[in-house]
Amino acid sequence: MQTTPTEQTLVIDHLRFERNNITLLDQIHSTVNAGELLQVRGANGCGKSTLLRLLAGYLEPHDGAIFWQNKSITEQRECYQQNIHYVGHRNGIKSTLTVAENLKLQCALSNIRFEPTNAQAVLKKMGLQHITDKHAAHLSAGQLRRLALARLALTPNKIWILDEPTTALDTEGQTVLNELLTQHLTHGGIAIVATHQDLDKSHPTKMLHLGAANA
Amino acid sequence: MLKSLLTITHQEIVMTLRQAYSWITPLLFFVIVVCLFPLALGPDENTLNKVAPGIIWVGALLAIVMSIGNIFRSDAEEGHLDLLLLSAHPLTLLVLCKLISHWITHCLPLIVISPLLGILLHLNIHEESVLVISLLLGTPVFVLLGAIGSALVVGIRSHGLLLPILIMPLYIPVLIFGTGSMIAASANLPLASDFAMMGALVLISLAFAPLLTSAALRIGANQ
């Protein structure tokens, strides 16, 4: 809270969210500055994924607001969402396309020119270079997760929202993820990560424990 | 921007063609439904010619209703819909890309094969050509309106017959003008008014359906 909020600060202001008339999230309050990582922790079912979906603009809070560039995200949803990379429980990979085609589709969605050499470099970084032309339907859970995380390296977005990104990843994959995060944060990006695992200590990390207030 | 949208449309078509059953089954369904009628009604030329417009149009309508329900399903299941919402392009345009590719892969084959089925129902050349033109004008409306319903039920796990109940009443105007044009053709009456009405329906649904569909998809993500 000491650092002065800038244009690039994501402010979570007294968020409250109900599901089926039960208050799931209440009085969630935090700020994430450029170059910071917000790690969301909490027991299963305490609303981590819901908070992340709220931050990605998929859900609307019942009370409170989320501010980006000093403006509530509900007022600028489509603009705001273009800044986001969201990797959720479902990877968003089209199983009928090959690994390379999935990246190509991602570039098209981000309105960025698809450079085969760049895509190859990204796949190499993610350890997928040997299965470029394999259909995504035939990939393992860990490979699918790596391919989903390849999006992060492929197109530059300011805010990364990662929901349990380490699921199904091996230790090598987790190292790559930590490298990606380091690179993103040093370039002034924001990352919001829900995970039970300890991430690399070198990241400037803020913690948000959910469920503590309700307990 | 246009290039990215073309890429997205192209990828959509590639995906459908790779899952051959998704476009071949509605096509075969259409062929079988239409073929059942001559068997059930007997080979009398006058009877078949009289009921032909209704049979072909209802067959095409049912085949499209069958396929349109799946247009957003795999996207929702695989989490791809979440990515579409975060895209740099307006969701409405992405929806339009998907609908265009759906029309190319699911409706164009129906239209191509319909003259063949017309022979079965004793349509003459003039009636055949009117059939093709009216289907070209009518099927886009089926797809556009169907997409709205499909987006509304995307969050419901097993929607079964809910989608047909929702969207089939909206298909009535197209059905009336579509079959109307064919009846007019067989009576050698002018066709301009029917075609003009169908063209108007295409334009109206083209203006509103993608907007409504993308709004429905955003609501669908909101749960």
Side-chain angles (χ1 to χ4, degrees):
Chain A
M1 300 283 163
Q2 275 74 33
T3 43
T4 42
T6 61
E7 279 270 289
Q8 307 294 325
T9 306
L10 193 68
V11 181
I12 307 169
D13 185 19
H14 294 98
L15 219 55
R16 189 173 65 84
F17 185 80
E18 292 175 6
R19 176 157 283 173
N20 303 327
N21 292 325
I22 297 167
T23 304
L24 187 59
L25 299 168
D26 200 11
Q27 296 291 322
I28 307 293
H29 198 73
S30 189
T31 39
V32 199
N33 293 308
E36 279 184 338
L37 184 146
L38 179 71
Q39 187 173 356
V40 184
R41 300 192 84 151
N44 292 135
C46 69
K48 292 191 295 295
S49 296
T50 308
L51 176 62
L52 262 50
R53 287 189 76 79
L54 279 163
L55 287 168
Y58 293 132
L59 301 174
E60 278 182 28
H62 290 89
D63 214 349
I66 299 159
F67 293 94
W68 168 248
Q69 298 180 337
N70 303 322
K71 208 171 155 196
S72 166
I73 64 166
T74 43
E75 290 165 22
Q76 47 159 349
R77 190 163 60 173
E78 298 201 8
C79 270
Y80 167 73
Q81 285 188 321
Q82 294 182 11
N83 294 304
I84 290 182
H85 266 312
Y86 173 81
V87 179
H89 294 287
R90 289 167 297 185
N91 292 310
I93 305 294
K94 296 302 296 180
S95 56
T96 37
L97 292 179
T98 66
V99 170
E101 285 167 339
N102 264 295
L103 293 188
K104 195 174 172 190
L105 182 60
Q106 180 58 40
C107 279
L109 285 175
S110 305
N111 202 15
I112 286 176
R113 246 179 86 92
F114 177 73
E115 307 276 3
T117 47
N118 184 27
Q120 268 304 322
V122 169
L123 287 175
K124 189 153 186 225
K125 191 175 174 67
M126 301 311 296
L128 298 169
Q129 73 279 19
H130 55 293
I131 49 167
T132 315
D133 295 319
K134 209 169 166 180
H135 282 247
H138 303 142
L139 299 190
S140 75
Q143 287 173 324
L144 281 175
R145 185 40 65 115
R146 281 168 180 247
L147 182 53
L149 293 172
R151 288 205 298 271
L152 304 176
L154 189 69
T155 57
N157 276 3
K158 274 265 155 51
I159 305 168
W160 290 7
I161 297 179
L162 313 177
D163 197 355
E164 307 276 2
T166 51
T167 315
L169 275 190
D170 51 16
T171 37
E172 192 201 331
Q174 293 180 16
T175 316
V176 176
L177 174 65
N178 269 314
E179 282 170 22
L180 286 176
L181 278 170
T182 309
Q183 208 178 15
H184 177 60
L185 296 171
T186 47
H187 283 86
I190 286 177
I192 297 150
V193 186
T195 179
H196 296 285
Q197 302 221 337
D198 288 316
L199 293 162
D200 200 332
K201 292 278 186 294
S202 61
H203 303 315
T205 307
K206 269 186 185 165
M207 284 292 206
L208 181 62
H209 286 276
L210 293 184
N214 308 359
Chain B
M1 172 133 172
L2 191 65
K3 199 163 171 241
S4 314
L5 291 174
L6 282 176
T7 310
I8 293 165
T9 314
H10 175 245
Q11 297 280 46
E12 283 288 332
I13 294 173
V14 167
M15 279 189 255
T16 316
L17 293 183
R18 280 189 192 156
Q19 277 183 309
Y21 68 87
S22 78
W23 64 274
I24 288 180
T25 23
L27 181 66
L28 288 177
F29 175 84
F30 173 59
V31 171
I32 291 170
V33 164
V34 174
C35 287
L36 286 178
F37 280 89
L39 297 174
L41 296 171
D44 178 48
E45 192 173 323
N46 282 334
T47 321
L48 285 179
N49 193 271
K50 206 170 172 187
V51 294
I55 293 169
I56 294 181
W57 267 88
V58 171
L61 184 153
L62 291 175
I64 292 169
V65 169
M66 266 180 72
S67 64
I68 195 81
N70 296 329
I71 185 166
F72 299 116
R73 210 181 55 187
S74 74
D75 286 344
E77 282 170 357
E78 294 171 336
H80 191 67
L81 211 52
D82 287 341
L83 300 186
L84 295 183
L85 296 181
L86 303 182
S87 166
H89 305 289
L91 187 58
T92 312
L93 286 182
L94 295 178
V95 165
L96 196 61
C97 288
K98 282 186 77 78
L99 296 186
I100 290 170
S101 68
H102 187 89
W103 184 81
I104 292 173
T105 50
H106 290 83
C107 298
L108 216 49
L110 293 189
I111 298 171
V112 169
I113 211 160
S114 63
L116 221 60
L117 298 170
I119 295 173
L120 202 71
L121 300 170
H122 302 285
L123 296 185
N124 62 33
I125 291 289
H126 178 53
E127 289 165 337
E128 293 270 30
S129 53
V130 172
L131 170 67
V132 171
I133 295 169
S134 66
L135 283 175
L136 278 172
L137 284 168
T139 47
V141 184
F142 287 164
V143 171
L144 286 160
L145 296 179
I148 304 173
S150 191
L152 280 173
V153 299
V154 78
I156 306 170
R157 231 169 273 280
S158 55
H159 47 77
L161 287 173
L162 180 60
L163 179 65
I165 292 171
L166 270 179
I167 59 176
M168 285 211 284
L170 301 175
Y171 287 174
I172 292 171
V174 188
L175 191 69
I176 290 172
F177 290 111
T179 51
S181 68
M182 288 183 64
I183 292 165
S186 58
N188 280 321
L189 292 170
L191 300 158
S193 66
D194 285 317
F195 283 167
M197 281 308 288
M198 288 173 82
L201 288 172
V202 174
L203 292 179
I204 290 174
S205 43
L206 195 60
F208 291 107
L211 277 173
L212 293 173
T213 307
S214 63
L217 286 175
R218 283 198 186 273
I219 296 168
N222 201 343
Q223 40 182 280

